[in-house]
Amino acid sequence: MRILVTGGAGYIGSHACVELLESGHEVIVIDNLSNSKEMSLSRVKEITGHDIKFYTLDLLDKVKLNQLFSDHSIDSVIHFAGLKSVAESIVNPLAYYRNNVSGSVNLFDVMTKHNVKNLVFSSSATVYGLTDSLPLKENCPLSAENPYGRTKIMIEEILRDLHDSDNAWNIISLRYFNPVGAHASGRIGEDPSGIPNNLLPYISQVAIGKLKQLTVYGNDYATHDGTCIRDYVHVVDLAKGHISAIEKLDSHPGLVIYNLGTGNGYSVMDMLGSFERANNIAIPYTIGPRRPGDIDASYTDPGLAMSELGWQANLGIEDFCRDAWRWQQDNPNGYE
Ligand SMILES: NC(=O)c1ccc[n+]([C@@H]2O[C@H](COP(=O)([O-])OP(=O)(O)OC[C@H]3O[C@@H](n4cnc5c(N)ncnc54)[C@H](O)[C@@H]3O)[C@@H](O)[C@H]2O)c1
């Protein structure tokens, strides 16, 4: 199949491109490179030995988007493109609504015009808000705590309306838990700009000496060691979830939603200890105050993805830590 991947130069998108190419699909990537480098795609080609068509294109540029769909016959779209920083979305909400919501509406509009009605959308576990009803299932109530999370809920709702208006659409929203790790080759991985927001890139940058120490935000949560528990999922497992989703689209599923996580929760201290053991390296850390908006624990029930998509995560905490560190060591300055 010929798959259009929006945001394919980014962290999860580049890993998905590897899996798509290795599964025999043809891949076209569009990305405005606002949070990525084209080199990620050169590395994808290097890993797979397959070519990718790449266009520097912003979803807000509907004229170019329309031209792309006129120039290529596309079977399905995987829609990763979006801004993803919670903190930035609070400071600059309009940029998030414009880029994520308006950009998505442009994409769905152009898809409709060209009769391309198969879509996999990158949603997020953030749509469950601060609930403590665990494990999280797809039918849990939604509530977002910040503009970023609200863009994901809005796009999911737009997709529901779109499907209600035209049942020819097949739409799978994948709600990712916390993507971590990197491709085992060490050639592609997460390349955060500035100080990382996420735990493993932060630990990796402490390990390599770019950051002084890790601050653990709170050790008085109601968990086994007092630090927050999250469901981390290896980015390669996550990428494979998109192959399962693309295959599922063939069975005309209508509109469906799946949580992608392992179902195992690990605390900050579990991750830190595992990184130290897997890589034989000590990570200096300090305990800081709680961060507003953090909850004790969040993890999924992965049962629906397992029964309906045939997908489950195979990689575990040691793989997360080993692969994140290999990527960091081999690419101390990311793709620069
Ligand atoms: N990484 C996570 O923790 C996480 C968790 C849940 C959901 N998600 C979602 O998954 C998707 C991919 O996340 P990621 O971690 O790979 O992020 P990323 O920033 O690495 O990738 C997103 C890509 O989209 C591109 N992009 C952004 N706006 C665009 C636009 N208007 N037009 C074209 N390209 C545009 C960026 O340049 C980037 O390459 C995002 O939608 C994100 O919200 C990510």
Side-chain angles (χ1 to χ4, degrees):
M1 277 209 283
R2 189 173 295 127
I3 318 274
L4 176 70
V5 181
T6 77
Y11 173 44
I12 307 170
S14 55
H15 288 80
C17 287
V18 169
E19 299 305 322
L20 286 165
L21 290 167
E22 289 186 341
S23 305
H25 296 290
E26 200 180 314
V27 176
I28 301 171
V29 166
I30 57 174
D31 198 303
N32 66 1
L33 302 177
S34 59
N35 196 38
S36 54
K37 307 256 168 25
E38 197 177 334
M39 188 187 286
S40 63
L41 296 174
S42 314
R43 301 270 182 97
V44 169
K45 291 182 202 170
E46 178 195 306
I47 293 168
T48 60
H50 294 291
D51 202 16
I52 296 184
K53 284 202 178 70
F54 172 65
Y55 298 91
T56 309
L57 200 157
D58 195 311
L59 288 180
L60 295 174
D61 187 342
K62 207 167 163 186
V63 173
K64 270 199 192 161
L65 196 56
N66 194 46
Q67 188 60 49
L68 180 106
F69 275 78
S70 299
D71 292 346
H72 299 279
S73 145
I74 291 163
D75 297 305
S76 301
V77 175
I78 306 183
H79 177 30
F80 292 104
L83 299 173
K84 62 166 182 177
S85 159
V86 168
E88 194 179 67
S89 79
I90 293 167
V91 175
N92 196 351
L94 292 182
Y96 273 67
Y97 291 119
R98 189 182 308 110
N99 191 76
N100 292 6
V101 181
S102 302
S104 296
V105 170
N106 278 352
L107 174 67
F108 307 153
D109 232 358
V110 172
M111 287 176 69
T112 306
K113 186 171 166 201
H114 291 268
N115 204 27
V116 178
K117 296 184 177 173
N118 288 329
L119 175 76
V120 178
F121 169 59
S122 297
S123 189
S124 166
T126 193
V127 299
Y128 297 116
L130 301 181
T131 177
D132 55 4
S133 75
L134 293 171
L136 290 162
K137 291 190 178 199
E138 288 77 356
N139 58 5
C140 285
L142 304 188
S143 86
E145 303 300 318
N146 50 67
Y148 166 68
R150 277 187 276 279
T151 67
K152 292 296 181 193
I153 293 182
M154 283 178 192
I155 297 165
E156 283 199 12
E157 285 180 350
I158 290 167
L159 289 173
R160 188 168 298 282
D161 289 339
L162 190 55
H163 176 260
D164 286 349
S165 74
D166 177 359
N167 286 340
W169 277 88
N170 292 298
I171 299 168
I172 300 183
S173 287
L174 299 176
R175 293 179 182 157
Y176 312 149
F177 279 65
N178 296 268
V180 286
H183 192 264
S185 63
R187 301 298 286 156
I188 55 172
E190 188 170 6
D191 182 18
S193 49
I195 297 189
N197 287 318
N198 294 335
L199 180 61
L200 261 193
Y202 202 105
I203 293 178
S204 302
Q205 293 202 9
V206 172
I208 208 152
K210 289 176 95 173
L211 297 168
K212 220 173 115 223
Q213 62 180 7
L214 173 73
T215 302
V216 177
Y217 295 110
N219 63 352
D220 58 351
Y221 288 92
T223 63
H224 63 276
D225 60 17
T227 63
C228 290
I229 287 181
R230 297 290 177 267
D231 187 334
Y232 298 94
V233 54
H234 197 290
V235 66
V236 171
D237 275 333
L238 201 58
K240 288 181 176 161
H242 295 75
I243 308 299
S244 308
I246 283 288
E247 284 164 6
K248 177 85 182 172
L249 287 175
D250 281 345
S251 66
H252 302 289
L255 183 141
V256 278
I257 295 172
Y258 300 108
N259 287 348
L260 295 189
T262 63
N264 299 315
Y266 293 111
S267 73
V268 176
M269 294 311 289
D270 290 337
M271 294 289 276
L272 184 68
S274 176
F275 189 96
E276 292 186 321
R277 281 189 301 280
N279 302 313
N280 197 22
I281 189 163
I283 304 296
Y285 71 93
T286 179
I287 304 292
R290 284 180 174 216
R291 268 188 318 197
D294 273 347
I295 47 174
D296 299 328
S298 164
Y299 51 88
T300 186
D301 172 347
L304 195 64
M306 209 183 293
S307 61
E308 292 192 8
L309 278 185
W311 175 88
Q312 65 177 345
N314 290 316
L315 299 168
I317 188 166
E318 282 175 18
D319 307 294
F320 308 161
C321 295
R322 189 199 53 231
D323 293 341
W325 181 227
R326 184 188 297 110
W327 156 253
Q328 179 70 62
Q329 276 185 303
D330 292 355
N331 308 271
N333 297 312
Y335 290 113
E336 273 169 23

PDB file of all heavy atoms in Angstrom, residues 26-52:
ATOM      1  N   GLU A  26       4.828   1.303   0.579  1.00  0.00           N
ATOM      2  CA  GLU A  26       5.501   2.449  -0.024  1.00  0.00           C
ATOM      3  C   GLU A  26       5.176   3.663   0.855  1.00  0.00           C
ATOM      4  O   GLU A  26       4.025   3.795   1.298  1.00  0.00           O
ATOM      5  CB  GLU A  26       4.918   2.640  -1.424  1.00  0.00           C
ATOM      6  CG  GLU A  26       5.773   3.431  -2.347  1.00  0.00           C
ATOM      7  CD  GLU A  26       5.082   3.562  -3.703  1.00  0.00           C
ATOM      8  OE1 GLU A  26       4.567   2.544  -4.217  1.00  0.00           O
ATOM      9  OE2 GLU A  26       5.041   4.689  -4.195  1.00  0.00           O
ATOM     10  N   VAL A  27       6.174   4.490   1.126  1.00  0.00           N
ATOM     11  CA  VAL A  27       5.957   5.565   2.111  1.00  0.00           C
ATOM     12  C   VAL A  27       6.242   6.938   1.505  1.00  0.00           C
ATOM     13  O   VAL A  27       7.287   7.151   0.878  1.00  0.00           O
ATOM     14  CB  VAL A  27       6.885   5.353   3.340  1.00  0.00           C
ATOM     15  CG1 VAL A  27       6.742   6.507   4.317  1.00  0.00           C
ATOM     16  CG2 VAL A  27       6.570   4.031   4.039  1.00  0.00           C
ATOM     17  N   ILE A  28       5.281   7.842   1.710  1.00  0.00           N
ATOM     18  CA  ILE A  28       5.496   9.256   1.373  1.00  0.00           C
ATOM     19  C   ILE A  28       5.415  10.015   2.682  1.00  0.00           C
ATOM     20  O   ILE A  28       4.446   9.856   3.431  1.00  0.00           O
ATOM     21  CB  ILE A  28       4.396   9.774   0.424  1.00  0.00           C
ATOM     22  CG1 ILE A  28       4.379   8.964  -0.871  1.00  0.00           C
ATOM     23  CG2 ILE A  28       4.597  11.269   0.126  1.00  0.00           C
ATOM     24  CD1 ILE A  28       3.182   9.277  -1.763  1.00  0.00           C
ATOM     25  N   VAL A  29       6.430  10.830   2.972  1.00  0.00           N
ATOM     26  CA  VAL A  29       6.420  11.608   4.225  1.00  0.00           C
ATOM     27  C   VAL A  29       6.236  13.080   3.903  1.00  0.00           C
ATOM     28  O   VAL A  29       6.870  13.613   2.989  1.00  0.00           O
ATOM     29  CB  VAL A  29       7.752  11.410   4.994  1.00  0.00           C
ATOM     30  CG1 VAL A  29       7.906  12.447   6.103  1.00  0.00           C
ATOM     31  CG2 VAL A  29       7.832  10.004   5.585  1.00  0.00           C
ATOM     32  N   ILE A  30       5.352  13.733   4.677  1.00  0.00           N
ATOM     33  CA  ILE A  30       5.342  15.197   4.672  1.00  0.00           C
ATOM     34  C   ILE A  30       5.635  15.666   6.092  1.00  0.00           C
ATOM     35  O   ILE A  30       5.184  15.062   7.073  1.00  0.00           O
ATOM     36  CB  ILE A  30       4.018  15.808   4.154  1.00  0.00           C
ATOM     37  CG1 ILE A  30       2.817  15.321   4.962  1.00  0.00           C
ATOM     38  CG2 ILE A  30       3.828  15.505   2.682  1.00  0.00           C
ATOM     39  CD1 ILE A  30       1.521  16.006   4.573  1.00  0.00           C
ATOM     40  N   ASP A  31       6.438  16.718   6.195  1.00  0.00           N
ATOM     41  CA  ASP A  31       6.799  17.244   7.512  1.00  0.00           C
ATOM     42  C   ASP A  31       7.277  18.671   7.296  1.00  0.00           C
ATOM     43  O   ASP A  31       7.950  18.952   6.297  1.00  0.00           O
ATOM     44  CB  ASP A  31       7.928  16.374   8.121  1.00  0.00           C
ATOM     45  CG  ASP A  31       8.050  16.561   9.625  1.00  0.00           C
ATOM     46  OD1 ASP A  31       8.253  17.710  10.069  1.00  0.00           O
ATOM     47  OD2 ASP A  31       7.945  15.565  10.359  1.00  0.00           O
ATOM     48  N   ASN A  32       6.932  19.577   8.197  1.00  0.00           N
ATOM     49  CA  ASN A  32       7.433  20.957   8.051  1.00  0.00           C
ATOM     50  C   ASN A  32       8.764  21.141   8.791  1.00  0.00           C
ATOM     51  O   ASN A  32       9.292  22.240   8.838  1.00  0.00           O
ATOM     52  CB  ASN A  32       6.398  21.988   8.521  1.00  0.00           C
ATOM     53  CG  ASN A  32       6.130  21.912  10.014  1.00  0.00           C
ATOM     54  OD1 ASN A  32       6.735  21.103  10.720  1.00  0.00           O
ATOM     55  ND2 ASN A  32       5.223  22.749  10.499  1.00  0.00           N
ATOM     56  N   LEU A  33       9.277  20.068   9.377  1.00  0.00           N
ATOM     57  CA  LEU A  33      10.574  20.048  10.080  1.00  0.00           C
ATOM     58  C   LEU A  33      10.623  21.050  11.228  1.00  0.00           C
ATOM     59  O   LEU A  33      11.695  21.515  11.616  1.00  0.00           O
ATOM     60  CB  LEU A  33      11.735  20.273   9.090  1.00  0.00           C
ATOM     61  CG  LEU A  33      11.813  19.249   7.943  1.00  0.00           C
ATOM     62  CD1 LEU A  33      12.951  19.602   6.975  1.00  0.00           C
ATOM     63  CD2 LEU A  33      12.014  17.834   8.471  1.00  0.00           C
ATOM     64  N   SER A  34       9.447  21.397  11.795  1.00  0.00           N
ATOM     65  CA  SER A  34       9.436  22.342  12.918  1.00  0.00           C
ATOM     66  C   SER A  34      10.022  21.705  14.168  1.00  0.00           C
ATOM     67  O   SER A  34      10.500  22.397  15.058  1.00  0.00           O
ATOM     68  CB  SER A  34       8.005  22.834  13.201  1.00  0.00           C
ATOM     69  OG  SER A  34       7.162  21.740  13.499  1.00  0.00           O
ATOM     70  N   ASN A  35       9.978  20.370  14.252  1.00  0.00           N
ATOM     71  CA  ASN A  35      10.552  19.701  15.430  1.00  0.00           C
ATOM     72  C   ASN A  35      11.331  18.461  15.032  1.00  0.00           C
ATOM     73  O   ASN A  35      11.329  17.457  15.758  1.00  0.00           O
ATOM     74  CB  ASN A  35       9.426  19.333  16.417  1.00  0.00           C
ATOM     75  CG  ASN A  35       9.969  19.011  17.795  1.00  0.00           C
ATOM     76  OD1 ASN A  35      10.923  19.649  18.256  1.00  0.00           O
ATOM     77  ND2 ASN A  35       9.416  18.015  18.451  1.00  0.00           N
ATOM     78  N   SER A  36      11.961  18.506  13.879  1.00  0.00           N
ATOM     79  CA  SER A  36      12.685  17.318  13.409  1.00  0.00           C
ATOM     80  C   SER A  36      13.688  17.721  12.348  1.00  0.00           C
ATOM     81  O   SER A  36      13.703  18.860  11.895  1.00  0.00           O
ATOM     82  CB  SER A  36      11.697  16.298  12.827  1.00  0.00           C
ATOM     83  OG  SER A  36      10.915  16.923  11.833  1.00  0.00           O
ATOM     84  N   LYS A  37      14.506  16.750  11.964  1.00  0.00           N
ATOM     85  CA  LYS A  37      15.517  16.996  10.926  1.00  0.00           C
ATOM     86  C   LYS A  37      15.317  15.959   9.819  1.00  0.00           C
ATOM     87  O   LYS A  37      14.990  14.795  10.102  1.00  0.00           O
ATOM     88  CB  LYS A  37      16.927  16.805  11.505  1.00  0.00           C
ATOM     89  CG  LYS A  37      17.206  17.596  12.765  1.00  0.00           C
ATOM     90  CD  LYS A  37      18.073  18.795  12.471  1.00  0.00           C
ATOM     91  CE  LYS A  37      18.175  19.801  13.595  1.00  0.00           C
ATOM     92  NZ  LYS A  37      17.958  19.360  14.948  1.00  0.00           N
ATOM     93  N   GLU A  38      15.593  16.404   8.597  1.00  0.00           N
ATOM     94  CA  GLU A  38      15.413  15.500   7.461  1.00  0.00           C
ATOM     95  C   GLU A  38      16.364  14.294   7.563  1.00  0.00           C
ATOM     96  O   GLU A  38      16.112  13.235   7.006  1.00  0.00           O
ATOM     97  CB  GLU A  38      15.659  16.279   6.156  1.00  0.00           C
ATOM     98  CG  GLU A  38      15.104  15.574   4.950  1.00  0.00           C
ATOM     99  CD  GLU A  38      15.279  16.386   3.668  1.00  0.00           C
ATOM    100  OE1 GLU A  38      15.367  17.632   3.740  1.00  0.00           O
ATOM    101  OE2 GLU A  38      15.335  15.749   2.604  1.00  0.00           O
ATOM    102  N   MET A  39      17.450  14.492   8.338  1.00  0.00           N
ATOM    103  CA  MET A  39      18.425  13.401   8.456  1.00  0.00           C
ATOM    104  C   MET A  39      17.797  12.129   9.036  1.00  0.00           C
ATOM    105  O   MET A  39      18.236  11.013   8.748  1.00  0.00           O
ATOM    106  CB  MET A  39      19.611  13.826   9.326  1.00  0.00           C
ATOM    107  CG  MET A  39      20.716  12.784   9.288  1.00  0.00           C
ATOM    108  SD  MET A  39      22.026  13.111  10.421  1.00  0.00           S
ATOM    109  CE  MET A  39      22.810  14.459   9.570  1.00  0.00           C
ATOM    110  N   SER A  40      16.743  12.295   9.851  1.00  0.00           N
ATOM    111  CA  SER A  40      16.103  11.090  10.403  1.00  0.00           C
ATOM    112  C   SER A  40      15.646  10.179   9.263  1.00  0.00           C
ATOM    113  O   SER A  40      15.738   8.957   9.355  1.00  0.00           O
ATOM    114  CB  SER A  40      14.916  11.461  11.304  1.00  0.00           C
ATOM    115  OG  SER A  40      13.930  12.117  10.548  1.00  0.00           O
ATOM    116  N   LEU A  41      15.193  10.804   8.170  1.00  0.00           N
ATOM    117  CA  LEU A  41      14.690   9.991   7.056  1.00  0.00           C
ATOM    118  C   LEU A  41      15.830   9.364   6.256  1.00  0.00           C
ATOM    119  O   LEU A  41      15.686   8.255   5.734  1.00  0.00           O
ATOM    120  CB  LEU A  41      13.775  10.837   6.160  1.00  0.00           C
ATOM    121  CG  LEU A  41      12.503  11.317   6.879  1.00  0.00           C
ATOM    122  CD1 LEU A  41      11.715  12.267   6.010  1.00  0.00           C
ATOM    123  CD2 LEU A  41      11.623  10.133   7.307  1.00  0.00           C
ATOM    124  N   SER A  42      16.980  10.070   6.189  1.00  0.00           N
ATOM    125  CA  SER A  42      18.155   9.434   5.544  1.00  0.00           C
ATOM    126  C   SER A  42      18.543   8.198   6.336  1.00  0.00           C
ATOM    127  O   SER A  42      18.917   7.166   5.770  1.00  0.00           O
ATOM    128  CB  SER A  42      19.360  10.373   5.513  1.00  0.00           C
ATOM    129  OG  SER A  42      18.979  11.636   5.100  1.00  0.00           O
ATOM    130  N   ARG A  43      18.443   8.313   7.670  1.00  0.00           N
ATOM    131  CA  ARG A  43      18.786   7.163   8.517  1.00  0.00           C
ATOM    132  C   ARG A  43      17.774   6.021   8.325  1.00  0.00           C
ATOM    133  O   ARG A  43      18.149   4.844   8.364  1.00  0.00           O
ATOM    134  CB  ARG A  43      18.812   7.595   9.989  1.00  0.00           C
ATOM    135  CG  ARG A  43      19.813   8.718  10.292  1.00  0.00           C
ATOM    136  CD  ARG A  43      21.162   8.154  10.669  1.00  0.00           C
ATOM    137  NE  ARG A  43      22.132   9.163  11.010  1.00  0.00           N
ATOM    138  CZ  ARG A  43      22.435   9.566  12.260  1.00  0.00           C
ATOM    139  NH1 ARG A  43      21.801   9.052  13.304  1.00  0.00           N
ATOM    140  NH2 ARG A  43      23.373  10.467  12.472  1.00  0.00           N
ATOM    141  N   VAL A  44      16.501   6.386   8.145  1.00  0.00           N
ATOM    142  CA  VAL A  44      15.479   5.349   7.902  1.00  0.00           C
ATOM    143  C   VAL A  44      15.821   4.595   6.616  1.00  0.00           C
ATOM    144  O   VAL A  44      15.758   3.359   6.562  1.00  0.00           O
ATOM    145  CB  VAL A  44      14.062   5.982   7.806  1.00  0.00           C
ATOM    146  CG1 VAL A  44      13.045   4.972   7.284  1.00  0.00           C
ATOM    147  CG2 VAL A  44      13.631   6.544   9.145  1.00  0.00           C
ATOM    148  N   LYS A  45      16.239   5.351   5.597  1.00  0.00           N
ATOM    149  CA  LYS A  45      16.610   4.712   4.319  1.00  0.00           C
ATOM    150  C   LYS A  45      17.808   3.802   4.525  1.00  0.00           C
ATOM    151  O   LYS A  45      17.876   2.688   3.995  1.00  0.00           O
ATOM    152  CB  LYS A  45      16.978   5.778   3.275  1.00  0.00           C
ATOM    153  CG  LYS A  45      15.788   6.605   2.810  1.00  0.00           C
ATOM    154  CD  LYS A  45      16.236   7.614   1.746  1.00  0.00           C
ATOM    155  CE  LYS A  45      15.263   8.767   1.674  1.00  0.00           C
ATOM    156  NZ  LYS A  45      15.714   9.884   0.859  1.00  0.00           N
ATOM    157  N   GLU A  46      18.769   4.294   5.331  1.00  0.00           N
ATOM    158  CA  GLU A  46      19.979   3.509   5.611  1.00  0.00           C
ATOM    159  C   GLU A  46      19.615   2.198   6.331  1.00  0.00           C
ATOM    160  O   GLU A  46      20.118   1.126   5.992  1.00  0.00           O
ATOM    161  CB  GLU A  46      20.868   4.392   6.481  1.00  0.00           C
ATOM    162  CG  GLU A  46      22.157   3.811   6.958  1.00  0.00           C
ATOM    163  CD  GLU A  46      22.718   4.684   8.099  1.00  0.00           C
ATOM    164  OE1 GLU A  46      22.874   5.901   7.916  1.00  0.00           O
ATOM    165  OE2 GLU A  46      22.968   4.117   9.187  1.00  0.00           O
ATOM    166  N   ILE A  47      18.725   2.273   7.320  1.00  0.00           N
ATOM    167  CA  ILE A  47      18.341   1.073   8.091  1.00  0.00           C
ATOM    168  C   ILE A  47      17.628   0.059   7.207  1.00  0.00           C
ATOM    169  O   ILE A  47      17.884  -1.137   7.275  1.00  0.00           O
ATOM    170  CB  ILE A  47      17.419   1.458   9.284  1.00  0.00           C
ATOM    171  CG1 ILE A  47      18.181   2.295  10.317  1.00  0.00           C
ATOM    172  CG2 ILE A  47      16.809   0.227   9.943  1.00  0.00           C
ATOM    173  CD1 ILE A  47      17.274   2.954  11.371  1.00  0.00           C
ATOM    174  N   THR A  48      16.719   0.577   6.362  1.00  0.00           N
ATOM    175  CA  THR A  48      15.832  -0.351   5.642  1.00  0.00           C
ATOM    176  C   THR A  48      16.334  -0.698   4.247  1.00  0.00           C
ATOM    177  O   THR A  48      15.888  -1.699   3.665  1.00  0.00           O
ATOM    178  CB  THR A  48      14.423   0.274   5.470  1.00  0.00           C
ATOM    179  OG1 THR A  48      14.563   1.489   4.708  1.00  0.00           O
ATOM    180  CG2 THR A  48      13.787   0.584   6.807  1.00  0.00           C
ATOM    181  N   GLY A  49      17.202   0.150   3.685  1.00  0.00           N
ATOM    182  CA  GLY A  49      17.603  -0.045   2.284  1.00  0.00           C
ATOM    183  C   GLY A  49      16.491   0.307   1.306  1.00  0.00           C
ATOM    184  O   GLY A  49      16.565  -0.030   0.126  1.00  0.00           O
ATOM    185  N   HIS A  50      15.445   0.991   1.784  1.00  0.00           N
ATOM    186  CA  HIS A  50      14.346   1.381   0.887  1.00  0.00           C
ATOM    187  C   HIS A  50      14.253   2.898   0.803  1.00  0.00           C
ATOM    188  O   HIS A  50      14.625   3.609   1.737  1.00  0.00           O
ATOM    189  CB  HIS A  50      13.006   0.856   1.411  1.00  0.00           C
ATOM    190  CG  HIS A  50      12.909  -0.631   1.384  1.00  0.00           C
ATOM    191  ND1 HIS A  50      12.845  -1.359   0.217  1.00  0.00           N
ATOM    192  CD2 HIS A  50      12.874  -1.536   2.398  1.00  0.00           C
ATOM    193  CE1 HIS A  50      12.773  -2.649   0.511  1.00  0.00           C
ATOM    194  NE2 HIS A  50      12.792  -2.786   1.833  1.00  0.00           N
ATOM    195  N   ASP A  51      13.685   3.357  -0.284  1.00  0.00           N
ATOM    196  CA  ASP A  51      13.571   4.804  -0.500  1.00  0.00           C
ATOM    197  C   ASP A  51      12.255   5.337   0.090  1.00  0.00           C
ATOM    198  O   ASP A  51      11.290   4.595   0.250  1.00  0.00           O
ATOM    199  CB  ASP A  51      13.616   5.089  -2.005  1.00  0.00           C
ATOM    200  CG  ASP A  51      14.040   6.526  -2.259  1.00  0.00           C
ATOM    201  OD1 ASP A  51      14.566   7.175  -1.323  1.00  0.00           O
ATOM    202  OD2 ASP A  51      13.832   7.006  -3.385  1.00  0.00           O
ATOM    203  N   ILE A  52      12.284   6.642   0.415  1.00  0.00           N
ATOM    204  CA  ILE A  52      11.065   7.315   0.894  1.00  0.00           C
ATOM    205  C   ILE A  52      10.934   8.587   0.080  1.00  0.00           C
ATOM    206  O   ILE A  52      11.939   9.271  -0.131  1.00  0.00           O
ATOM    207  CB  ILE A  52      11.223   7.759   2.367  1.00  0.00           C
ATOM    208  CG1 ILE A  52      11.378   6.578   3.300  1.00  0.00           C
ATOM    209  CG2 ILE A  52      10.061   8.619   2.814  1.00  0.00           C
ATOM    210  CD1 ILE A  52      11.435   7.004   4.765  1.00  0.00           C
TER     211      ILE A  52
END
